[in-house]
Amino acid sequence: MSISVRDRKLLWGRAGNQCAFPGCGVFLIEDAGGIADPTIVGEEAHIVARRADGPRGDQDPPGGNRDGYGNLILLCATHHTAVDANVAQYPVNVLVEMRRTHEASISAARSAEDAKELTDEVLYAEIVDEWSVRAMLDNWDKWTSGILLCGQPSIKVRHVEALRELAHWLLRRVWPGSKPRLEAAFSNYRTVLMDLLNELHANSLKVGPPGHEDYEVEKFYKQLGALWDPPAYADLERKFLRAVFVVEELGVELTRAANLVADTVRETLSPRYRREEGYVAITSGPTLMDWNKTTTSVCLYPAGTDPATAYAGLDHFQTRAEDRLRQEARS
């Protein structure tokens, strides 16, 4: 497990970005003057260690979750070392009380405006945590693996259903309104997702045994069966190729949109968000020419892209599909 965005925001916000050790109070984020990301010098210390053989690790964590807010205390490196090296002097109850006392003093000095900002950030963090799970970020390369598969896009029915529910869930969110860039990044992601789902709905069939079904872009030309009608076959083949191109491009675009959300979370809410996991990526291949060749790519919008205008829209991809088909027809 890892510390959620919500728990991290609660920990740092309620501590006022200061070491909770009595008499310390050192600020734990150094401002780099806007030249680079802030340098984080504080440590998210576990009251009960993650491992059973760590400091206080043989006890039940406060709150029940070793990576949860209830089991964390914000300390500078010096005092983190001190409390872990002297377990007898700093048992669980002492650390819990240390954090409570520090947070109470910070809360008493916090302005109404600062309190509102922290509340908003926690609400955003909860949405980010839930989206991260619903969007299947940790398994992105796996569940998208059929979208760029050998000119025949496919995706598991269960994944389409989960993504459809995600789109509806995002639509129902009540946003605080204080981070417009973050909200725009989520809106951009949802718009791309809806276009992908709508294209799959319009151009795909269910294939495979019950319980293991895929949505697969329909080979429309097979509708003719044994009927010999070259013009009709050419039109239906063109319809299939157009649908393949658009679904593939939307799969890539959704990957860009997810990475834009993650970048915007790091920019506006939590600099550590998914730093260890990194960007999500999508895999293309194998190809008919080489069944052993696949290519995994990290897809990003250009640096500085405005989340409000990142996605060019479905018409853009449909136009590109027509242009590509005309070029192939001439060649």
Side-chain angles (χ1 to χ4, degrees):
M1 295 183 65
S2 60
I3 301 172
S4 70
V5 180
R6 173 189 178 274
D7 287 343
R8 177 164 282 140
K9 187 56 60 178
L10 283 172
L11 177 67
W12 286 80
R14 289 182 175 177
N17 297 332
Q18 297 177 40
C19 177
F21 195 89
C24 180
V26 64
F27 280 92
L28 300 177
I29 296 181
E30 294 180 352
D31 189 357
I35 298 174
D37 290 338
T39 300
I40 300 174
V41 296
E43 298 187 2
E44 298 160 336
H46 288 73
I47 294 172
V48 171
R50 271 181 170 155
R51 297 168 56 94
D53 59 355
R56 298 165 293 273
D58 59 345
Q59 301 178 55
D60 292 332
N65 178 1
R66 289 182 185 251
D67 278 326
Y69 161 75
N71 189 46
L72 299 171
I73 181 170
L74 192 63
L75 297 170
C76 65
T78 298
H79 289 119
H80 187 184
T81 300
V83 301
D84 282 356
N86 299 280
V87 173
Q89 185 178 354
Y90 300 105
V92 171
N93 65 308
V94 169
L95 293 180
V96 169
E97 180 60 20
M98 182 187 297
R99 186 189 66 190
R100 189 200 67 76
T101 301
H102 174 71
E103 290 182 350
S105 68
I106 296 297
S107 178
R110 181 178 285 126
S111 67
E113 182 179 345
D114 288 342
K116 171 64 165 56
E117 180 181 358
L118 177 57
T119 298
D120 284 358
E121 292 201 334
V122 171
L123 290 172
Y124 281 119
E126 290 173 348
I127 292 173
V128 170
D129 285 333
E130 184 70 12
W131 171 77
S132 303
V133 175
R134 288 175 177 262
M136 301 176 282
L137 297 188
D138 288 340
N139 298 303
W140 189 276
D141 193 33
K142 183 175 181 180
W143 73 260
T144 61
S145 61
I147 294 178
L148 303 182
L149 179 63
C150 197
Q152 180 60 71
S154 66
I155 183 172
K156 295 293 182 186
V157 169
R158 67 178 185 274
H159 292 150
V160 171
E161 292 171 350
L163 292 170
R164 187 174 291 116
E165 177 54 34
L166 168 58
H168 294 326
W169 178 83
L170 283 172
L171 180 64
R172 298 191 299 267
R173 291 314 88 201
V174 178
W175 299 94
S178 56
K179 295 187 182 296
R181 281 182 58 82
L182 183 55
E183 294 182 21
F186 273 111
S187 178
N188 179 77
Y189 170 87
R190 184 183 180 278
T191 300
V192 178
L193 177 58
M194 285 303 304
D195 281 349
L196 174 59
L197 292 173
N198 288 337
E199 285 298 298
L200 287 168
H201 178 76
N203 297 296
S204 298
L205 294 175
K206 285 185 180 181
V207 298
H212 300 279
E213 295 169 302
D214 293 342
Y215 280 113
E216 186 177 275
V217 173
E218 181 180 1
K219 296 181 174 70
F220 298 103
Y221 49 84
K222 289 190 174 182
Q223 295 173 0
L224 296 174
L227 177 65
W228 177 242
D229 188 340
Y233 183 94
D235 287 343
L236 292 173
E237 183 184 38
R238 184 183 182 89
K239 181 179 179 182
F240 165 71
L241 293 174
R242 184 191 305 113
V244 166
F245 178 87
V246 172
V247 168
E248 288 178 342
E249 290 297 308
L250 286 172
V252 172
E253 187 75 5
L254 190 66
T255 305
R256 291 191 190 99
N259 283 326
L260 179 61
V261 170
D263 272 340
T264 310
V265 170
R266 286 187 284 270
E267 172 194 337
T268 64
L269 186 66
S270 178
R272 294 187 183 185
Y273 176 66
R274 295 188 65 82
R275 287 286 185 184
E276 183 177 345
E277 297 90 343
Y279 288 118
V280 297
I282 191 168
T283 298
S284 60
T287 68
L288 290 173
M289 301 299 294
D290 188 348
W291 281 97
N292 295 314
K293 182 178 181 180
T294 60
T295 302
T296 301
S297 303
V298 171
C299 306
L300 303 171
Y301 291 112
T305 294
D306 183 351
T309 57
Y311 176 41
L314 183 59
D315 289 347
H316 170 72
F317 287 131
Q318 291 174 335
T319 299
R320 286 182 56 192
E322 291 294 340
D323 291 343
R324 178 173 171 178
L325 288 171
R326 282 193 291 268
Q327 291 173 2
E328 291 177 353
R330 289 195 296 266
S331 62

